[in-house]
Amino acid sequence: MTQSVVIQVGQCGNQIGCCFWDLALREHAAVNQKAIYDEAISSFFRNVDTRVVGDGGSISKGKICSLKARAVLIDMEEGVVNEILQGPLRDVFDSKQLITDISGSGNNWAVGHKVFGSLYQEQILEKLRKSAEHCDCLQCFFIIHSMGGGTGSGLGTFLLKVLEDEFPEVYRFVASIYPSGEDDVITSPYNSMLAMKELNEHADCVLPIDNQSLFDIISKIDLMVNSGKLGTAIKPKSLVTSSAGAFKKRQEKPFDAMNNIVANLLLNLTSSARFEGSLNMDLNEISMNLVPFPQLHYLVSSLTPLYTLADVNIPSRRLDQMFSDAFSKDHQLIRADPKHSLYLACALMVRGNVQISDLRRNIERLKPALRFVSWNQEGWKTSLCSVPPVGHSHSLLALANNTCVKPTFIELRERFTRLYRKRAHLHHYLQIEGMEESCFTEALSSLSALIQEYNQLDATKSMPAEELPRLSVAV
Amino acid sequence: MSIVTVQLGQCGNQIGFEVFDALFSDSHCPQGLCSKRENEAYRASCKERFFSEEENGVPIARAVLVDMEPKVINQTLSKAAHSGRWKYGQHSCFCQKQGSGNNWAYGYSVHGPRHEESIMNLIQKEVEKCDSLNGFFIIMSMAGGTGSGLGAFVTQNLQDQYSNSLKMNQIIWPYGTGEVIVQNYNSILTLSHLYRSSDALLVHENDAVHKICAKLMNIKQISFRDINQVLAHQLGSVFQPTYSGEGSFHYRRNPLGDLMENLVPHPEFKMLGVRNIPQMSENSLAYSTFTWAGLLKHLRQMLISNAKMEEGIDWQVRPPLSGLPTRGKMSLNKESHFNTSIANLVILRGKDVHSAELGAFKDPALYTSWLEPVHAFSVWKTQRAFSKYEKSAALVSNSQFLVKPLDTIVGKAWNMFASNKDRGGTITNLKIQMRDTPQ
């Protein structure tokens, strides 16, 4: 069994991270009734005897003493991290795994990347090495951050290069929150563009997510809950979007519900690696199957179900509905329309009481409406995990490598160009040591090259598959 | 003589468990429909082949479990131990942590050499427990990374180290509509390597077994467990004990050798398929009776029309009229899709087995020109019924049945490889495959 380390950077990253750890604890508590520290828990948590001072406290087997998250928390201002450390999860985090500063990055990628990057490089390396040492077999780093700000965007992507150099064998999965059109941070296009270049070059796999989609999903759930359409009650504990009991408090913390969706994404992504199932899928299989070319590593994700009705016996019609939902625009975590674009590959990660025949039936059903690239017509990767998420009897995470991410990137480029043409706000960046205009132009050409790749693939959409001659089997 | 089984990867281990379970259940089945002495001889023969004895009487499967990640092996070991009837050896397994990531190159070039010594040692220990070794079963899938890559590596090693023993690979042919996106690459790499090092490849197609579960067994929500159990049943119907010859009542001691002698007359043709009849859910079984004539008629038609189960057989397909098929070439008649065989082995189990009439299988029209039916066709029998079926027949054949699926897989792999040669994508894709190969 392998371990993963979560690195949460910046305000957004840390808030999502907090929701993630809360959900992870609840999930393991639901599965692991006997409180034994087993391999599934060890993928994200260490078992520590808190009475021992210093490093010697790790316990590898037996009863759970105190669980510590395999996490590194980084923020260049203290507010968010402090709040976490005073909240209900304070004991889950190892106080030595934090890196904070006071002044923040001022929504400036250059400050996050260049200034804080060089300032904290040694510390960061030290914390990372420590986390790696605590792992028996480290397989993956998960980085959670936003693209539009300064710390998450700048320092978060600086980390990628460090990780690549220091731990070349370990996968780097990034959950990136892309800014929406109505983002309140004026410099977010610059920050996102500069961060994109780093993601292009140093990430193994990126899961782009945008706030607008998350918000739409929440609104839809609210509508369902409040309309009481079908007369059946929605189990509050089973809302993907909230922690138990937090249903009513949601009005106070508007981002919590949205963050919980991302947390669920990460949990479902790793569920087949942590828990047993009849068709396992490990994290290394994700990039092996879904990334046909190293640059095209952006995966559009969609999660179902988002809520469960109180009716427990789900007939297979409802099960099929789950599959259909996964391919509808409403359940995507980024605004995208995969059905009308070209699929390079698609993964279906199912949890709960779903069997291979259900999976096959639904693939056959949905396949005709989807367009796959000519050289990967049957491009499905499937996994079945027996353990369902908390409060649901089954769930589905669909990861698609699809050209539908292209519009997001094109829009990003346009917003960037609008600002850059006027050289607006540029001086804030250029006055940082190490920043030059070439950084911007290189980032722009990197993104343009990526868009061009997608364009080329889209162009093959309507062309018939090329029949290349080969030695034929005597049929 | 004993057979040592090597179970590789998630698929191999999950199936291996069901196989041993089916073999054990059948050999301890009280409804053998034969004398007590017969039953005991059967049980003893099965035991010698597949199980070794422990002090407190619980048989231990002659198996080595290998996987590059621990979850499945742990599950398999505990399932066997919980059943209380048989189990796996405590120290018969080898696992790592990271898995092979569906990467054939990782299984073959990284895990193989790295863990060669440990794995071969485990196999050696298991071999030493046998009084005499008949050969090896290697159970593996083609679509993943461990079963396919490490399986190919281990088979090669077995060829080097145990050159006098026979190796039969039980290969799982993946679903046509994808379980793994790179399954076609993994499959062709596996097949090309195995073809050089294995003695026979017994191929089980997921699609075919799935249909059997749906149509014949009437299972509504088919799980991999159901599929594996059908597969195990098929294997059991071939490899459970049978009499060593016509008129003999002793059980044959060299099943692998006899099978390969009969079915693999030429080293270039070693892909075998298995069909068996009848196959149904236990509930239906109580209400069914069969005749040998009926069963064999269906089985023969299943063979020549390349049907995998007794429902939906195309009765229009007939052998070519002239009696002798075209010399040399194995041509598939476009209209009737006649499935020509190189060799066939029919295995009959149950009541009145000696009265079964097999003339139809000796028709030269079924076979190629370079092998006479007397050499191409053989039959194994036992009076002892298999797994509660009063009469059952299995057919292992070396025929054209895999030509089309093979062509499909090669075509898809080629498509994926060649379409991207201009992009340098294939080079990078191969790089991903070979990234961790020690240079």
Side-chain angles (χ1 to χ4, degrees), chain A residues 7 9 72 74 76 98-101 111-130 154-167 198 202:
Chain A
I7 309 175
V9 191
V72 177
I74 303 179
M76 293 298 101
L98 314 168
I99 299 181
T100 54
D101 198 298
V111 172
H113 195 98
K114 305 279 185 189
V115 175
F116 286 126
S118 52
L119 193 59
Y120 286 103
Q121 181 164 11
E122 272 316 306
Q123 270 199 50
I124 290 175
L125 265 177
E126 190 206 313
K127 311 285 183 199
L128 291 173
R129 282 194 197 120
K130 220 1 137 19
L155 189 53
T157 49
F158 174 80
L159 264 178
L160 285 176
K161 186 77 177 53
V162 170
L163 290 172
E164 191 177 25
D165 292 336
E166 185 73 13
F167 305 96
E198 306 300 313
H202 304 298

Tab-separated table of all heavy atoms in Angstrom, chain A residues 7 9 72 74 76 98-101 111-130 154-167 198 202:
chain	number	residue	atom	x	y	z
A	7	ILE	N	-0.322	18.655	-0.152
A	7	ILE	CA	0.298	19.956	0.101
A	7	ILE	C	-0.737	21.019	-0.222
A	7	ILE	O	-1.146	21.152	-1.373
A	7	ILE	CB	1.547	20.165	-0.773
A	7	ILE	CG1	2.476	18.960	-0.621
A	7	ILE	CG2	2.270	21.424	-0.362
A	7	ILE	CD1	3.666	19.009	-1.535
A	9	VAL	N	-1.752	24.910	-0.429
A	9	VAL	CA	-1.028	26.179	-0.538
A	9	VAL	C	-2.006	27.333	-0.689
A	9	VAL	O	-2.878	27.299	-1.551
A	9	VAL	CB	-0.092	26.171	-1.766
A	9	VAL	CG1	0.850	27.354	-1.714
A	9	VAL	CG2	0.696	24.870	-1.817
A	72	VAL	N	1.252	19.052	4.324
A	72	VAL	CA	2.103	20.210	4.544
A	72	VAL	C	1.240	21.424	4.253
A	72	VAL	O	0.648	21.520	3.176
A	72	VAL	CB	3.329	20.194	3.610
A	72	VAL	CG1	4.162	21.442	3.814
A	72	VAL	CG2	4.175	18.956	3.876
A	74	ILE	N	0.892	25.378	3.711
A	74	ILE	CA	1.725	26.534	3.359
A	74	ILE	C	0.816	27.721	3.103
A	74	ILE	O	-0.112	27.634	2.309
A	74	ILE	CB	2.550	26.247	2.090
A	74	ILE	CG1	3.411	24.997	2.302
A	74	ILE	CG2	3.427	27.438	1.749
A	74	ILE	CD1	4.230	24.621	1.105
A	76	MET	N	1.188	32.273	3.062
A	76	MET	CA	2.064	33.398	3.339
A	76	MET	C	1.379	34.446	4.197
A	76	MET	O	1.883	35.540	4.377
A	76	MET	CB	2.588	34.003	2.033
A	76	MET	CG	3.516	33.055	1.294
A	76	MET	SD	5.023	32.634	2.230
A	76	MET	CE	4.653	31.023	2.889
A	98	LEU	N	4.023	23.101	9.076
A	98	LEU	CA	3.432	24.339	8.584
A	98	LEU	C	4.502	25.294	8.134
A	98	LEU	O	5.567	25.352	8.723
A	98	LEU	CB	2.660	25.051	9.703
A	98	LEU	CG	1.742	24.227	10.554
A	98	LEU	CD1	1.320	25.049	11.743
A	98	LEU	CD2	0.543	23.820	9.745
A	99	ILE	N	4.185	26.051	7.108
A	99	ILE	CA	5.073	27.153	6.714
A	99	ILE	C	4.188	28.375	6.547
A	99	ILE	O	3.319	28.385	5.676
A	99	ILE	CB	5.800	26.854	5.392
A	99	ILE	CG1	6.657	25.603	5.547
A	99	ILE	CG2	6.669	28.039	4.993
A	99	ILE	CD1	7.417	25.240	4.303
A	100	THR	N	4.380	29.357	7.381
A	100	THR	CA	3.557	30.560	7.225
A	100	THR	C	4.429	31.808	7.275
A	100	THR	O	5.558	31.791	7.754
A	100	THR	CB	2.512	30.701	8.354
A	100	THR	OG1	3.190	30.633	9.618
A	100	THR	CG2	1.469	29.611	8.279
A	101	ASP	N	3.857	32.860	6.768
A	101	ASP	CA	4.516	34.167	6.831
A	101	ASP	C	3.415	35.151	7.224
A	101	ASP	O	2.293	34.755	7.495
A	101	ASP	CB	5.120	34.515	5.470
A	101	ASP	CG	6.176	35.611	5.593
A	101	ASP	OD1	5.830	36.726	6.017
A	101	ASP	OD2	7.332	35.327	5.266
A	111	VAL	N	5.478	37.538	-6.451
A	111	VAL	CA	5.849	37.534	-5.034
A	111	VAL	C	5.818	36.098	-4.505
A	111	VAL	O	6.751	35.641	-3.826
A	111	VAL	CB	4.897	38.436	-4.212
A	111	VAL	CG1	5.173	38.276	-2.732
A	111	VAL	CG2	5.068	39.885	-4.632
A	112	GLY	N	4.728	35.385	-4.835
A	112	GLY	CA	4.610	34.007	-4.353
A	112	GLY	C	5.721	33.127	-4.887
A	112	GLY	O	6.360	32.366	-4.162
A	113	HIS	N	5.988	33.251	-6.192
A	113	HIS	CA	6.911	32.334	-6.846
A	113	HIS	C	8.360	32.696	-6.599
A	113	HIS	O	9.172	31.874	-6.184
A	113	HIS	CB	6.606	32.335	-8.349
A	113	HIS	CG	7.233	31.200	-9.101
A	113	HIS	ND1	6.532	30.054	-9.422
A	113	HIS	CD2	8.474	31.018	-9.598
A	113	HIS	CE1	7.329	29.226	-10.088
A	113	HIS	NE2	8.512	29.793	-10.206
A	114	LYS	N	8.691	33.951	-6.882
A	114	LYS	CA	10.101	34.338	-6.831
A	114	LYS	C	10.543	34.693	-5.422
A	114	LYS	O	11.545	34.202	-4.924
A	114	LYS	CB	10.350	35.543	-7.765
A	114	LYS	CG	9.920	35.312	-9.190
A	114	LYS	CD	10.940	34.521	-9.983
A	114	LYS	CE	10.522	34.411	-11.442
A	114	LYS	NZ	11.345	33.496	-12.201
A	115	VAL	N	9.763	35.598	-4.775
A	115	VAL	CA	10.212	36.077	-3.470
A	115	VAL	C	10.088	34.974	-2.419
A	115	VAL	O	11.068	34.542	-1.826
A	115	VAL	CB	9.399	37.318	-3.037
A	115	VAL	CG1	9.787	37.717	-1.626
A	115	VAL	CG2	9.638	38.452	-4.011
A	116	PHE	N	8.845	34.520	-2.211
A	116	PHE	CA	8.677	33.513	-1.167
A	116	PHE	C	9.291	32.182	-1.548
A	116	PHE	O	9.706	31.404	-0.692
A	116	PHE	CB	7.189	33.350	-0.828
A	116	PHE	CG	6.648	34.494	-0.038
A	116	PHE	CD1	5.532	35.185	-0.459
A	116	PHE	CD2	7.268	34.886	1.139
A	116	PHE	CE1	5.035	36.246	0.275
A	116	PHE	CE2	6.774	35.949	1.882
A	116	PHE	CZ	5.659	36.635	1.436
A	117	GLY	N	9.309	31.932	-2.868
A	117	GLY	CA	9.928	30.698	-3.318
A	117	GLY	C	11.358	30.594	-2.843
A	117	GLY	O	11.751	29.622	-2.180
A	118	SER	N	12.157	31.603	-3.144
A	118	SER	CA	13.559	31.515	-2.757
A	118	SER	C	13.711	31.632	-1.243
A	118	SER	O	14.553	30.971	-0.640
A	118	SER	CB	14.387	32.584	-3.471
A	118	SER	OG	13.782	33.842	-3.280
A	119	LEU	N	12.835	32.431	-0.617
A	119	LEU	CA	12.949	32.614	0.831
A	119	LEU	C	12.712	31.320	1.593
A	119	LEU	O	13.398	31.004	2.559
A	119	LEU	CB	11.918	33.664	1.270
A	119	LEU	CG	12.057	34.236	2.672
A	119	LEU	CD1	13.409	34.899	2.823
A	119	LEU	CD2	10.959	35.278	2.904
A	120	TYR	N	11.704	30.574	1.133
A	120	TYR	CA	11.317	29.390	1.906
A	120	TYR	C	11.745	28.071	1.295
A	120	TYR	O	11.344	27.014	1.768
A	120	TYR	CB	9.789	29.390	2.094
A	120	TYR	CG	9.341	30.407	3.102
A	120	TYR	CD1	8.771	31.620	2.708
A	120	TYR	CD2	9.520	30.168	4.458
A	120	TYR	CE1	8.396	32.553	3.640
A	120	TYR	CE2	9.138	31.091	5.401
A	120	TYR	CZ	8.576	32.293	4.991
A	120	TYR	OH	8.205	33.215	5.924
A	121	GLN	N	12.574	28.135	0.258
A	121	GLN	CA	12.898	26.893	-0.429
A	121	GLN	C	13.470	25.832	0.509
A	121	GLN	O	13.054	24.682	0.497
A	121	GLN	CB	13.900	27.168	-1.548
A	121	GLN	CG	14.254	25.905	-2.302
A	121	GLN	CD	14.931	26.174	-3.629
A	121	GLN	OE1	15.332	27.298	-3.908
A	121	GLN	NE2	15.051	25.162	-4.455
A	122	GLU	N	14.411	26.254	1.326
A	122	GLU	CA	15.040	25.282	2.231
A	122	GLU	C	14.045	24.674	3.196
A	122	GLU	O	14.011	23.470	3.400
A	122	GLU	CB	16.175	25.965	3.022
A	122	GLU	CG	17.516	25.934	2.337
A	122	GLU	CD	17.826	24.573	1.733
A	122	GLU	OE1	17.760	23.552	2.470
A	122	GLU	OE2	18.114	24.510	0.531
A	123	GLN	N	13.227	25.567	3.776
A	123	GLN	CA	12.226	25.078	4.737
A	123	GLN	C	11.266	24.111	4.081
A	123	GLN	O	10.923	23.066	4.645
A	123	GLN	CB	11.425	26.262	5.279
A	123	GLN	CG	12.002	26.875	6.516
A	123	GLN	CD	10.965	27.688	7.245
A	123	GLN	OE1	9.859	27.211	7.496
A	123	GLN	NE2	11.302	28.918	7.578
A	124	ILE	N	10.841	24.500	2.887
A	124	ILE	CA	9.888	23.642	2.175
A	124	ILE	C	10.506	22.279	1.939
A	124	ILE	O	9.907	21.238	2.207
A	124	ILE	CB	9.479	24.281	0.834
A	124	ILE	CG1	8.615	25.510	1.097
A	124	ILE	CG2	8.724	23.288	-0.023
A	124	ILE	CD1	8.259	26.264	-0.156
A	125	LEU	N	11.745	22.283	1.452
A	125	LEU	CA	12.417	21.017	1.186
A	125	LEU	C	12.490	20.165	2.441
A	125	LEU	O	12.266	18.960	2.419
A	125	LEU	CB	13.833	21.274	0.672
A	125	LEU	CG	13.992	21.280	-0.837
A	125	LEU	CD1	15.419	21.605	-1.210
A	125	LEU	CD2	13.600	19.926	-1.406
A	126	GLU	N	12.793	20.837	3.546
A	126	GLU	CA	12.942	20.094	4.796
A	126	GLU	C	11.636	19.435	5.199
A	126	GLU	O	11.597	18.258	5.539
A	126	GLU	CB	13.430	21.059	5.877
A	126	GLU	CG	13.857	20.365	7.150
A	126	GLU	CD	13.714	21.313	8.325
A	126	GLU	OE1	14.175	22.468	8.173
A	126	GLU	OE2	13.122	20.917	9.345
A	127	LYS	N	10.534	20.223	5.139
A	127	LYS	CA	9.238	19.646	5.522
A	127	LYS	C	8.856	18.501	4.603
A	127	LYS	O	8.322	17.481	5.023
A	127	LYS	CB	8.121	20.691	5.454
A	127	LYS	CG	8.409	21.995	6.127
A	127	LYS	CD	8.321	21.914	7.626
A	127	LYS	CE	8.554	23.289	8.238
A	127	LYS	NZ	8.905	23.239	9.626
A	128	LEU	N	9.128	18.672	3.294
A	128	LEU	CA	8.763	17.621	2.354
A	128	LEU	C	9.563	16.358	2.622
A	128	LEU	O	9.029	15.250	2.604
A	128	LEU	CB	9.001	18.091	0.915
A	128	LEU	CG	8.052	19.180	0.420
A	128	LEU	CD1	8.499	19.685	-0.939
A	128	LEU	CD2	6.633	18.652	0.330
A	129	ARG	N	10.842	16.553	2.863
A	129	ARG	CA	11.674	15.367	3.124
A	129	ARG	C	11.180	14.645	4.365
A	129	ARG	O	11.156	13.419	4.421
A	129	ARG	CB	13.140	15.768	3.317
A	129	ARG	CG	13.841	16.064	2.025
A	129	ARG	CD	15.365	16.131	2.201
A	129	ARG	NE	15.952	16.810	1.061
A	129	ARG	CZ	16.671	17.920	1.149
A	129	ARG	NH1	16.887	18.483	2.326
A	129	ARG	NH2	17.179	18.478	0.068
A	130	LYS	N	10.783	15.427	5.365
A	130	LYS	CA	10.272	14.834	6.596
A	130	LYS	C	9.046	13.982	6.290
A	130	LYS	O	8.923	12.844	6.731
A	130	LYS	CB	9.901	15.952	7.559
A	130	LYS	CG	10.204	15.815	9.067
A	130	LYS	CD	10.863	14.625	9.491
A	130	LYS	CE	11.981	14.638	10.477
A	130	LYS	NZ	12.132	15.773	11.299
A	154	GLY	N	1.501	31.268	-7.145
A	154	GLY	CA	2.937	31.423	-7.333
A	154	GLY	C	3.755	30.409	-6.567
A	154	GLY	O	4.529	29.636	-7.134
A	155	LEU	N	3.533	30.375	-5.247
A	155	LEU	CA	4.327	29.453	-4.435
A	155	LEU	C	3.916	28.013	-4.706
A	155	LEU	O	4.736	27.093	-4.719
A	155	LEU	CB	4.138	29.805	-2.953
A	155	LEU	CG	5.057	29.099	-1.976
A	155	LEU	CD1	6.506	29.275	-2.362
A	155	LEU	CD2	4.827	29.649	-0.573
A	156	GLY	N	2.611	27.829	-4.962
A	156	GLY	CA	2.136	26.482	-5.266
A	156	GLY	C	2.822	25.899	-6.476
A	156	GLY	O	3.214	24.732	-6.486
A	157	THR	N	2.981	26.704	-7.518
A	157	THR	CA	3.627	26.178	-8.721
A	157	THR	C	5.146	26.131	-8.578
A	157	THR	O	5.802	25.316	-9.220
A	157	THR	CB	3.234	26.986	-9.961
A	157	THR	OG1	3.406	28.369	-9.677
A	157	THR	CG2	1.785	26.717	-10.319
A	158	PHE	N	5.691	26.975	-7.715
A	158	PHE	CA	7.124	26.874	-7.443
A	158	PHE	C	7.447	25.507	-6.861
A	158	PHE	O	8.438	24.852	-7.203
A	158	PHE	CB	7.518	27.978	-6.454
A	158	PHE	CG	8.936	27.885	-5.988
A	158	PHE	CD1	9.968	28.359	-6.776
A	158	PHE	CD2	9.254	27.313	-4.761
A	158	PHE	CE1	11.290	28.270	-6.356
A	158	PHE	CE2	10.561	27.220	-4.326
A	158	PHE	CZ	11.585	27.703	-5.130
A	159	LEU	N	6.531	25.070	-6.022
A	159	LEU	CA	6.674	23.751	-5.394
A	159	LEU	C	6.820	22.632	-6.403
A	159	LEU	O	7.534	21.659	-6.173
A	159	LEU	CB	5.401	23.452	-4.609
A	159	LEU	CG	5.385	23.757	-3.151
A	159	LEU	CD1	4.024	23.412	-2.625
A	159	LEU	CD2	6.422	22.940	-2.434
A	160	LEU	N	6.087	22.761	-7.528
A	160	LEU	CA	6.093	21.675	-8.500
A	160	LEU	C	7.505	21.393	-8.996
A	160	LEU	O	7.912	20.235	-9.129
A	160	LEU	CB	5.195	22.015	-9.689
A	160	LEU	CG	3.698	21.915	-9.439
A	160	LEU	CD1	2.926	22.367	-10.662
A	160	LEU	CD2	3.313	20.495	-9.096
A	161	LYS	N	8.231	22.470	-9.262
A	161	LYS	CA	9.596	22.292	-9.753
A	161	LYS	C	10.450	21.632	-8.676
A	161	LYS	O	11.230	20.713	-8.954
A	161	LYS	CB	10.179	23.667	-10.134
A	161	LYS	CG	11.533	23.599	-10.798
A	161	LYS	CD	11.368	23.177	-12.256
A	161	LYS	CE	12.699	23.166	-13.009
A	161	LYS	NZ	13.755	22.389	-12.389
A	162	VAL	N	10.271	22.076	-7.440
A	162	VAL	CA	11.029	21.491	-6.332
A	162	VAL	C	10.736	20.000	-6.216
A	162	VAL	O	11.633	19.175	-6.062
A	162	VAL	CB	10.658	22.221	-5.015
A	162	VAL	CG1	11.220	21.492	-3.824
A	162	VAL	CG2	11.160	23.646	-5.051
A	163	LEU	N	9.444	19.657	-6.296
A	163	LEU	CA	9.061	18.258	-6.170
A	163	LEU	C	9.634	17.426	-7.300
A	163	LEU	O	10.078	16.294	-7.106
A	163	LEU	CB	7.535	18.128	-6.157
A	163	LEU	CG	6.833	18.649	-4.914
A	163	LEU	CD1	5.337	18.638	-5.121
A	163	LEU	CD2	7.195	17.818	-3.703
A	164	GLU	N	9.625	18.029	-8.486
A	164	GLU	CA	10.126	17.270	-9.629
A	164	GLU	C	11.615	16.972	-9.471
A	164	GLU	O	12.078	15.881	-9.781
A	164	GLU	CB	9.892	18.037	-10.927
A	164	GLU	CG	10.152	17.184	-12.159
A	164	GLU	CD	9.847	17.930	-13.444
A	164	GLU	OE1	9.909	19.177	-13.433
A	164	GLU	OE2	9.545	17.272	-14.439
A	165	ASP	N	12.352	17.948	-8.977
A	165	ASP	CA	13.789	17.734	-8.811
A	165	ASP	C	14.097	16.792	-7.654
A	165	ASP	O	14.925	15.905	-7.762
A	165	ASP	CB	14.488	19.081	-8.550
A	165	ASP	CG	14.455	19.963	-9.777
A	165	ASP	OD1	14.340	19.414	-10.894
A	165	ASP	OD2	14.518	21.190	-9.618
A	166	GLU	N	13.383	17.015	-6.547
A	166	GLU	CA	13.728	16.273	-5.345
A	166	GLU	C	13.149	14.866	-5.329
A	166	GLU	O	13.758	13.929	-4.822
A	166	GLU	CB	13.204	17.060	-4.125
A	166	GLU	CG	13.583	16.489	-2.792
A	166	GLU	CD	15.046	16.719	-2.459
A	166	GLU	OE1	15.684	17.545	-3.160
A	166	GLU	OE2	15.556	16.069	-1.548
A	167	PHE	N	11.938	14.696	-5.854
A	167	PHE	CA	11.268	13.393	-5.827
A	167	PHE	C	10.804	13.042	-7.228
A	167	PHE	O	9.610	13.033	-7.508
A	167	PHE	CB	10.039	13.431	-4.900
A	167	PHE	CG	10.330	13.887	-3.499
A	167	PHE	CD1	10.143	15.209	-3.142
A	167	PHE	CD2	10.782	12.997	-2.546
A	167	PHE	CE1	10.404	15.641	-1.843
A	167	PHE	CE2	11.036	13.410	-1.256
A	167	PHE	CZ	10.858	14.734	-0.902
A	198	GLU	N	3.774	26.649	-15.509
A	198	GLU	CA	4.387	25.685	-14.586
A	198	GLU	C	3.620	24.369	-14.581
A	198	GLU	O	4.199	23.288	-14.548
A	198	GLU	CB	4.404	26.275	-13.161
A	198	GLU	CG	5.057	27.628	-13.047
A	198	GLU	CD	6.499	27.622	-13.474
A	198	GLU	OE1	7.238	26.722	-13.043
A	198	GLU	OE2	6.888	28.510	-14.252
A	202	HIS	N	5.500	20.947	-15.273
A	202	HIS	CA	5.960	20.173	-14.120
A	202	HIS	C	4.914	19.302	-13.440
A	202	HIS	O	5.241	18.580	-12.510
A	202	HIS	CB	6.565	21.105	-13.063
A	202	HIS	CG	7.667	21.953	-13.598
A	202	HIS	ND1	8.833	21.427	-14.115
A	202	HIS	CD2	7.774	23.290	-13.742
A	202	HIS	CE1	9.605	22.407	-14.522
A	202	HIS	NE2	8.993	23.547	-14.317
